[in-house]
Amino acid sequence: MKCSLASFVRAHLLLCLGLLHCGEARVHTEVQAGPLYRVVGSPLSISCNVSGFASDITTKHIEFRVTKPANPTFEINIISTKDPSFGYAVYTKRVRSNEITLTHVTSNSVVFGIRSLEKGDEGEYHCSVINSESAYDGIYSAKTALKVIDNSLSVSSPASTSLSFNEGDAFTLTCQASANTVQHTHLSLAWYLGKDGEDSAHPIMSLDRDFTLNPGPGFEQRHQAGLIKLDKLGGATYKLTIAHLELSDQGRIYCRAQEWIQDPDRSWYTIADKNGEETILNVKAREALPDTSSLAVAISAQADTLQEGQELSLLCHVNSHDLQRRFSSVAWLRGNVELARIGPTGILSVGPEYIRREKEGELRAARSGEGEYSLTLRPVRTEDRGEYVCRAGLQDRGPDGAFTQRAAQDSSSQLVSISATESGLSVEMQNAVSVNEGFRLELRCKVLKARGQLSVTWQRKSTPAAPFASVISLDQEGVAEKAEEFKSRRVNAMRPAADTFTLELDGVRPSDSGVYQCAVSEWQINTKTQSHSQSATVKVTPADSFVKVNLMSRNHIVTVGQTPQLMCRVSGPRLPMTLTWSRQRDASTIDTILTLNSDGSISWSVDQQRYQLKVENTGNEVIYYLLINGASQREAGSYQCRVAVFLEKVHKKLPPSNQLSVSVQNPVSKLVLTTTGALSVNVNAGIEMRCSVVSEPCASSRYSVTWLLQQQEEKKTIVSSDQDALVTFGPEIVASHRDRVGVKRTKGPSFVFSIQQVGFSDNGSYTCEVVEWLQDPRGDWYQLSAVSKTTELRVSEPEKQLAIAKEDKWLNVSRLQDFPIPCHITRQSSSESEFQVTWFWQKETETEKLPLFTAHRNFTLQDRFGKGDQLRFGHPLPNQFSLTVLKPSLEDSGLYFCEVEEWLPSLSHGWRKHAVENSGYLTLHVYAEGDVEAVSEQECRSPIWMGVLIAIVICSLLVIFLLVLLNCRSKASERQKSDQNLWAEAHPLKEKPIADD
């Protein structure tokens, strides 16, 4: 009893749990959504979580497998948390060296990791949980796709060098970063400061992937004060500016770029990072005492009217209480342009426009006395004329050694006029120059009427309002010197002729556009006597304005196995470029096919046997052909070629080509069928329909066949056999009907459809629908269009061929004689016919017929008249029935006949009555012993018949006498042995009412 109760409780609990989980899987396996794009050499991590098991505490064992694009149906074991030998040999070494790991985060979750991705790691990764329970209920495996792409991130900065600055000086450094990834990615860049003795560098300033500036820890206040800035110039240049260097800024400064991609789960992931070259920065300290008193500032000029080539001397007077104990800075400005500045520690810094002149000795500034500062320009140029201002300010020094600028005080303005001399020196230069991006800029400067040695300084400003900044100079000795900003560029200053100077700048960018100035100076015995300059406007045309990419094809709609050819036409001047072919199969997935690098190397991202690359040079156009060898449905999609010019180690993406859709269609089916003609059969018969392929099949042809039935407006599937001969029935075919239906295949091939015991419900049009399956060049099976043939089936009742012996008979019997009523079936409608026989009696032809006896088709006998003890039934042969009446009475005289009902089987309607026929009449006359038959009055009157009657009477007496003797003997014999009738009279009939079928 206890066991029964426990079983009942368990069953009840299982039922409740089943109701709770009705309609949904209990176990669920979830893996990180894909596709995941990762770079060669980068790490990979894929998370996998399992839920729904009975126990959350028990550690679940999980396995990882992969299917490669070349064979997507073959799974390769990688690693398992349960079995150390789970992985295939190709992964064994990497698993043992912990390059591939599978780590439990919790009992129900793991992280699959690869330390360094290889190109061959691309594929679909399957995470499967081992079921530790007795039953399966749910999803035990999940998969995600991994795409391994090339690392195209490029980072460059000025070559490693060591720079020394004084405390408080300004400092700038540039870094270039770009990527040529086909997928949509973002770049982030950060500047770092590394110090000796420290393992990790400190971020100074960063520009994240969302273009947000973030100062590093410890640099926030200086960023807010505008002393530290990070600017993005153009598409790939990042400039770090520190307006006021501090001692703590000393160290190794470098940039780091990161490339980010957004995964399908909307999270951002770093796929590549790279550092630029390090620059060693040395900062020298300057000591002084702070003072906060106010200043009085004045400016004066030795001469305010000068000629070109003379010397301009400007004095700045600063007066304040106890000035010698204070930190102050002094600057000279012409308009809003700062010429030079003497900082609080006495260090001179020069404005960008005057750096070259200071290096050439044209500009000098120094402290000439207590509170006095002098600025000298020699030789002056006509462009030096204007109003000059002296600006001075006190600065406070904090505990950390950093200076804080107090409010500055400007002097009154000093007007300086400079007139041109009558020297014959002049400079000629073209007014405007246009050059394409990536090409060489060449500027020519012609000098006229020069008498001494010449030097030249090439300068540039990006806008008319900006000051000129030096590009490169060539002194009178022929020594060239690049400006800091152009040290990493290929720039040259040359003097091909005595009166000609040239500037050559390779790989120009749109940011190189601006106004270029050629400033020529004349020297006499190491003294510059005069200078003259000329300017030209330079416009750099972006590459996307003259390099055009167009994609086209003559056969982009092909059938399986053909080779489409795509043409990517790149027109325009020749530039070092990277070309990438890609294919997009859906809105979110872009697959890289190959990348043709600027150095001619090719990086393949797919099976190289599927594609072929061909390059053709035609004058001002290069055509890149992509051939798809033996196209299959896998190669269908939208193709695109993308070009990126590679200039000065920077990728610049150009607008991609138009998308070209390659459609791979299945070939037209040449399948020809023959089928069985129209069938007309009787109900309950068996039928067979044959559908044969008479066309020539391919070597790899396989076939699937579906048999359908059309009845009025309804069409339903009966049975299908797929290309692997797997048979499935239609959803509308009930189980009882499936037993009657059969399908088979024979040589040819031929497809045979059979139905046993057809019924009226089987009437209709039967369609044999055959689909031919072929194998594409990649081994995948695809189907052609279906071909069908129809056979009409008509099921009808068999003809009513029932026939009964209809011969009329007359019989005279005495009351002591038994008489049989035969019922002989001479013909029947079907071999499966069954019969029900009923004998009737009626007094005369017009009177009511009364049933005597019925033999049902199920072998049940029924007395219909209440004389069962007088009736004997006989069935000697299948088509012969008889009913014998024992010792009839005088009232039994009359008409006797049998009625036969023919019954046939039907699957849909069961047994049904098919035909009814009656036999002929048996006319019976029963007379008593000694009775003589009456004769007509006419016969009695006839003399002839009188003699005959007398003879008959005499004979009748003799016969009666003999019958009496025989009857006596018969009774004696009946006492000793049983009756010889075919029906067993020893068992009297019993009435049993039988219902009709």
Side-chain angles (χ1 to χ4, degrees), residues 797-834:
E797 292 274 9
E799 295 182 8
K800 296 182 179 181
Q801 299 180 355
L802 180 65
I804 310 298
K806 292 184 176 295
E807 181 183 359
D808 294 334
K809 297 181 180 181
W810 290 265
L811 184 60
N812 293 318
V813 295
S814 67
R815 294 177 56 191
L816 300 178
Q817 287 182 300
D818 301 338
F819 68 91
I821 309 171
C823 190
H824 182 205
I825 300 171
T826 59
R827 189 172 65 248
Q828 61 189 59
S829 303
S830 171
S831 61
E832 296 182 338
S833 298
E834 293 187 2

Side-chain angles (χ1 to χ4, degrees), residues 147 284 287 339 422 511 832 945:
K147 304 287 185 180
K284 298 178 181 178
E287 295 294 334
L339 284 73
E422 296 181 358
S511 59
E832 296 182 338
W945 287 104

Side-chain angles (χ1 to χ4, degrees), residues 551-558 562-568 581 612 614 616 623-629 631 660 662:
L551 181 59
M552 60 184 298
S553 174
R554 298 188 184 96
N555 57 340
H556 64 97
I557 301 177
V558 297
Q562 291 184 338
T563 300
Q565 180 176 270
L566 309 182
M567 294 181 290
C568 181
W581 281 97
Q612 182 180 346
K614 185 173 67 174
E616 179 181 337
I623 303 177
Y624 299 87
Y625 293 91
L626 182 69
L627 284 72
I628 306 174
N629 299 321
L660 181 64
V662 173

Side-chain angles (χ1 to χ4, degrees), residues 346-367:
I347 303 301
L348 174 66
S349 60
V350 181
E353 191 172 351
Y354 291 88
I355 291 177
R356 183 65 191 174
R357 298 180 70 178
E358 188 268 337
K359 289 184 178 180
E360 293 178 353
E362 293 186 24
L363 183 149
R364 299 188 302 275
R367 182 181 177 186

